[in-house]
Amino acid sequence: ENFDELLELIRKYDAVLFLSQSIKSPHVDNNNARAALAELSVSSELALKAREKNIQTVIECGGFMRYDKINNIVKTVRELSCNTPIYSDNIISTDIALGWESVATAISYTNAILSGSKLVFAVQNSLDPGNSSTLKEGIVSARIAAHSADIANNVKLQINRNKNVVN
């Protein structure tokens, strides 16, 4: 009932609906994967409802997850939501990256993008939040991940850009 009112406001102001996750794993080998998947299933249902009203929608897929599971999780969310765009936020595939989250996330982001994620966010290292140099490191790491995935996906502009930098 309230969701329909929210959708009307979003349409009125020509905004985008971001469906974020509240259930995220605290570590790689998690015990709440079923709960997180159930939440993603609800987000997918809400995304489909928004799509019926021509509301642009994006679903979050993030948190700690094993590297070999990222592809399956992203693809499952895409299938559940009928290919609603997915944004990846803080996908970390190791428990030993404290202070190096931007690097660990960049590795995971490349896999997520290759699996169908359409948007990634810069990550600040948890040991130094608010520091502009760690924010810059997060932005650069996310851009490198996206560039690497674009090359793997044969995005011509990125391949040409890469050739120009190398030569």
Side-chain angles (χ1 to χ4, degrees):
E1 162 184 339
N2 292 338
F3 189 68
D4 289 330
E5 291 175 26
L6 176 66
L7 292 179
E8 289 305 317
L9 282 172
I10 291 170
R11 184 188 354 217
K12 179 180 177 180
Y13 293 101
D14 194 25
V16 176
L17 176 63
F18 274 71
L19 296 169
S20 188
Q21 283 181 275
S22 58
I23 301 173
K24 291 185 181 182
S25 174
H27 54 83
V28 175
D29 286 322
N30 67 69
N31 294 325
N32 65 353
R34 285 189 195 153
L37 192 56
E39 180 186 32
L40 289 169
S41 180
V42 170
S43 291
S44 296
E45 289 175 27
L46 294 173
L48 292 174
K49 198 170 190 177
R51 183 181 290 167
E52 289 171 2
K53 298 191 182 255
N54 294 318
I55 305 290
Q56 294 181 69
T57 307
V58 184
I59 297 176
E60 178 185 7
C61 183
F64 284 90
M65 59 183 79
R66 285 178 35 168
Y67 188 83
D68 60 323
K69 304 287 184 191
I70 294 170
N71 179 285
N72 188 43
I73 292 168
V74 171
K75 286 185 176 184
T76 298
V77 174
R78 289 188 69 214
E79 288 172 12
L80 286 171
S81 67
C82 296
N83 290 320
T84 297
I86 295 170
Y87 75 95
S88 297
D89 187 20
N90 287 349
I91 296 180
I92 300 178
S93 58
T94 180
D95 292 330
I96 62 166
L98 187 61
W100 293 97
E101 289 94 338
S102 60
V103 175
T105 299
I107 293 165
S108 300
Y109 276 176
T110 303
N111 190 346
I113 296 165
L114 288 172
S115 302
S117 184
K118 299 297 181 192
L119 178 65
V120 295
F121 287 91
V123 175
Q124 273 197 281
N125 292 328
S126 60
L127 295 178
D128 200 9
N131 181 328
S132 62
S133 65
T134 61
L135 178 58
K136 180 180 179 182
E137 181 181 297
I139 292 168
V140 170
S141 296
R143 289 186 68 187
I144 291 169
H147 180 75
S148 297
D150 283 348
I151 291 171
N153 279 327
N154 288 315
V155 176
K156 298 288 186 217
L157 175 67
Q158 296 302 334
I159 292 170
N160 290 336
R161 179 184 289 168
N162 200 53
K163 286 179 184 174
N164 290 335
V165 170
V166 173
N167 294 329

